[in-house]
Structure formats: structure tokens, C-alpha cells
Amino acid sequence: MSLTPEIIALLTLDAIFLFLGLIALFASGRIALWWDNQKSTPLQYTLSKQSYLVSTIIKYIFMLKLPLFLFFIYTCDKLSSIIAGAMCASGVVNSVDFGLYLTLFKLLNLYLFGFWLLLHYTDINNEKLPYTRLKFALFVLFSLPLFAEIGLEIAFFVGLNISKIVSCCGTLFSATSSSYISLFFVVDELLWVGGFYGFFALSIVAFRLKNTPVMIFANSMFLIFSIISLIVFFSPYVYELPTHRCPFCLLQKEYYYVGYLLYTLLFAGTFYGIGGGALALLSKKAQPSFMKASICLNMLYLAIISSYPLIYYVKNGVWL
């Protein structure tokens, strides 16, 4: 294992998250089992104080995890300069067998913790505190992927071997790759692009019809098709190179760090669509502000990423 300042910072925060997460898990279990807002017993008074403590811990974890996701990608990108064969974060992530699963766990936890906070703010803004027991029961469930992420991240940095030659992103994200990513290229790229625009249109229809389940479905599929179509179709236009399809290189200086903007819009837009929809179903109350935010952010992402092939065609008169 190589210890750079970035890795030390991430591992230190993992240890803090593990410690605080275990405290929150223990207290959440007690609250989920014994909470009764109608009682005025010493136990209920204690649980009320503990619920405030646990909520603060969870908010603290989420507020740190949000920038730490980008910091993790930045760290992997920086490590690519000392690992033979790696040209960006993708080579470092894939240098360990479970690197991709670690990245997916990080994304999953952002969505789960974001939804937990939406539920929490809905709960504390109601004097009856109707979702207190549910939200702490959910945290007990959500703590499993949190601890899995912490364990995988520690194992990832411990298992990172800088003397091992890894594949560059040009090899990983190509039709000739032997990995699962090559399966994306088996399907005609027009299908992925068609799905990308189609599911965005479906989300607008769902918004106009106020159909929450369809809104959740459309945003979930829009997220999947957006990432795949970015790899298969849009990224070569950003790089202006037909063989370059890496979704990590978008975060580099050479491309004006446009990936940070694109991923923030995409993840925030789909989160408001999925999380806001789930909250609407749970509370049986429409969440138009979340739905509008979802439509606006997704539309902005769609407009920016669509501009790349259009501008390229106008400038060069051909498609890649």
C-alpha cells in the first residue's frame, strides 16, 4: 500500500465514519424499536435526545461524503501518474478487482443518504413526527452499504499495487475489451441514445400527468441510459477523438473539468426525481418543487451533452 496525503485523509475519514456510524446504528436500532411519541416516559425522553444526536451524525456523514466522492475520483486520478499503464482514474479503479463496486457503493450511498435527509426534514417539519420510527429503521438498513463501502475502500487502498501494470482507459472502454463494458458496444449506439432522450421525454410526460411511479421509473432509466450513452456515443465528441470513450477523463484539466458539471447535474437531477418521487409516495403528498428541480437539472445536462456532437458536426461536417 502506498500512503499519499490523499489516501491518509480518506482512510482517516473512513475510521471516523465507522466510529460514528456504529454509534448511529446502535441508537437508531433502539429508536426504531421503542419510539412512541405519545408517551412521556424517561425512555421516550432519552430516545428524543438520541434522535437529535443521530440525525446530526447522519447529516455530518452525508455533508462530508458528497465532496469526498469527488475527492476519491481526484485521488485515483492523481495516483494514475505513479501506476504503470494507468492514464486516469479508470485505470486505478480497475486495478483492483472490486474497484468498480466500490465506486457504485459510493454512488448508491449518496442517493440513500440524500433520501434519508429528505425524509428527515419532512419529519421534523411535522409536529407529530410521523416518520421518526421509519427513518431510523431505514438508517439501520442503509448502514449496511455504508459499512460495505468503508470496508471496500480500506481494502482497495491496502490492495493497491503501484508496481502492477494496469490497462489504460482506451483499452477498458472499447469494443475490444474483454470486460462487461464491451457489452455496451454490442448494442447499436442509437438504441442507447434513443433511450436517453426517450426516458427524459417520459419524465416530462410523468411530470405533466403528476404520475409519481412513472417519474421514478423514468429518472432511474434516464440515469442508466445517460451513463451508457455518455460512454458509447457522447464522450468521443467531447474529446474530439473517435476512440476515446472514458467517462473519467472528463474530469481532467484538458477538458476544462466539464465532468464535474455534467455529473453534478445528472446525479442531482435524477436524485430529485427518484428521491422526491419516493417521498411523495410515502407522504401521499405531491412534491412539485423536487419534480421541477429534477426536470430543470436533467434538461440542463441533456442540453450541454447534446451540444458537443452538434457543435462538432457544424464545425467539421461529419459525425464521429
Side-chain angles (χ1 to χ4, degrees):
M1 178 176 67
S2 297
L3 287 177
T4 66
E6 292 83 6
I7 293 177
I8 293 173
L10 286 169
L11 292 178
T12 302
L13 287 169
D14 279 339
I16 295 173
F17 288 159
L18 184 61
F19 174 70
L20 294 178
L22 287 172
I23 293 175
L25 175 62
F26 175 73
S28 294
R30 288 193 68 204
I31 297 169
L33 284 174
W34 306 112
W35 178 267
D36 188 346
N37 202 31
Q38 302 300 316
K39 293 183 178 178
S40 55
T41 61
L43 174 61
Q44 181 61 27
Y45 180 68
T46 302
L47 294 179
S48 296
K49 290 193 295 183
Q50 289 182 349
S51 70
Y52 182 80
L53 171 66
V54 174
S55 301
T56 304
I57 288 175
I58 297 173
K59 282 191 290 186
Y60 164 78
I61 291 175
F62 178 77
M63 284 188 290
L64 278 178
K65 286 191 70 60
L66 200 57
L68 277 176
F69 175 72
L70 298 178
F71 186 69
F72 171 76
I73 300 298
Y74 165 80
T75 301
C76 291
D77 206 37
K78 191 173 181 181
L79 288 172
S80 65
S81 63
I82 59 173
I83 295 182
M87 296 180 67
C88 65
S90 65
V92 179
V93 168
N94 284 283
S95 67
V96 179
D97 293 340
F98 50 83
L100 179 64
Y101 299 113
L102 170 60
T103 309
L104 293 178
F105 265 114
K106 284 181 174 294
L107 275 176
L108 174 66
N109 283 328
L110 287 180
Y111 277 80
L112 293 179
F113 275 67
F115 175 71
W116 193 94
L117 286 180
L118 288 182
L119 186 61
H120 170 65
Y121 285 119
T122 305
D123 183 51
I124 61 175
N125 286 321
N126 188 320
E127 61 181 10
K128 294 182 179 178
L129 300 174
Y131 306 115
T132 298
R133 174 170 280 180
L134 173 63
K135 70 182 183 186
F136 287 110
L138 283 177
F139 179 74
V140 173
L141 186 64
F142 294 170
S143 64
L144 296 177
L146 172 65
F147 293 142
E149 177 197 328
I150 293 173
L152 284 175
E153 184 158 273
I154 294 171
F156 176 79
F157 286 122
V158 170
L160 201 59
N161 184 359
I162 62 172
S163 61
K164 177 184 174 183
I165 299 176
V166 301
S167 299
C168 69
C169 57
T171 303
L172 291 169
F173 297 97
S174 73
T176 58
S177 169
S178 58
S179 69
Y180 50 86
I181 296 174
S182 63
L183 297 176
F184 297 154
F185 297 93
V186 174
V187 180
D188 192 325
E189 64 184 20
L190 292 179
L191 179 64
W192 300 121
V193 177
F196 167 68
Y197 288 107
F199 284 113
F200 175 72
L202 182 62
S203 69
I204 293 179
V205 173
F207 174 70
R208 296 297 297 271
L209 297 177
K210 304 186 187 316
N211 191 317
T212 304
V214 175
M215 188 72 174
I216 295 173
F217 172 74
N219 272 274
S220 302
M221 298 306 293
F222 180 72
L223 173 63
I224 295 171
F225 276 76
S226 294
I227 293 174
I228 297 176
S229 62
L230 177 66
I231 296 172
V232 173
F233 179 75
F234 290 107
S235 56
Y237 291 99
V238 179
Y239 305 128
E240 298 189 345
L241 190 65
T243 57
H244 198 179
R245 302 173 187 273
C246 177
F248 291 93
C249 287
L250 295 170
L251 303 168
Q252 293 186 338
K253 179 182 177 182
E254 290 78 6
Y255 306 104
Y256 307 104
Y257 306 108
V258 69
Y260 289 101
L261 172 63
L262 290 174
Y263 293 134
T264 299
L265 291 173
L266 177 62
F267 294 144
T270 51
F271 168 73
Y272 280 122
I274 300 170
L279 185 62
L281 288 178
L282 197 61
S283 62
K284 298 180 181 176
K285 183 180 178 182
Q287 303 289 338
S289 59
F290 291 139
M291 300 304 153
K292 287 179 183 175
S294 173
I295 294 292
C296 291
L297 292 169
N298 287 341
M299 185 182 295
L300 198 53
Y301 171 82
L302 184 146
I304 293 174
I305 199 64
S306 299
S307 68
Y308 281 96
L310 292 174
I311 292 173
Y312 184 88
Y313 183 79
V314 170
K315 286 168 60 179
N316 301 283
V318 294
W319 301 103
L320 287 176

